[in-house]
Amino acid sequence: MQLQYKLIKVVCPRCGAEKEVPVPNSLFSQKKTGHIKIRVPKGVVCQEHVFIVFLNINGKVIGYETVDLSVSSITEFEPPEKKSVD
Ligand SMILES: [Zn+2]
């Protein structure tokens, strides 16, 4: 079965950078009601900001939420290895 995508035009709520991103149609068919929340990582739409986009089940953008800090950027500052205590 082929994955079908819907192109959604997403705009960074902080700086206005915009890009069309492909969202699989299956995401919409799984949802019967409510809205879809997608976290947009840095570098996908905007090179500087992480944000969350809310879509309705028809694939229309209904809102954005900004993210001050993403967990993945916190872990980058953690030491990669834990000292083992023997
Ligand atoms: Zn931005």
Side-chain angles (χ1 to χ4, degrees):
M1 204 176 92
Q2 234 182 347
L3 259 187
Q4 302 258 313
Y5 290 89
K6 203 187 259 286
L7 272 183
I8 309 291
K9 189 179 170 189
V10 174
V11 181
C12 174
R14 293 212 174 172
C15 69
E18 58 178 61
K19 195 174 179 181
E20 283 188 325
V21 295
V23 177
N25 277 344
S26 57
L27 189 67
F28 299 104
S29 53
Q30 284 164 13
K31 285 263 184 181
K32 301 291 178 223
T33 56
H35 60 253
I36 294 155
K37 196 175 172 181
I38 302 172
R39 181 175 170 276
V40 182
K42 216 186 276 187
V44 174
V45 173
C46 171
Q47 300 305 313
E48 290 176 54
H49 306 121
V50 180
F51 57 93
I52 293 164
V53 55
F54 295 92
L55 305 174
N56 68 13
I57 53 169
N58 299 315
K60 192 170 163 38
V61 175
I62 52 173
Y64 294 96
E65 192 173 284
T66 56
V67 174
D68 295 315
L69 191 65
S70 69
V71 174
S72 62
S73 63
I74 297 173
T75 55
E76 282 169 19
F77 295 103
E78 280 178 357
E81 287 173 42
K82 277 181 187 166
K83 260 188 189 172
S84 61
V85 184
D86 290 315

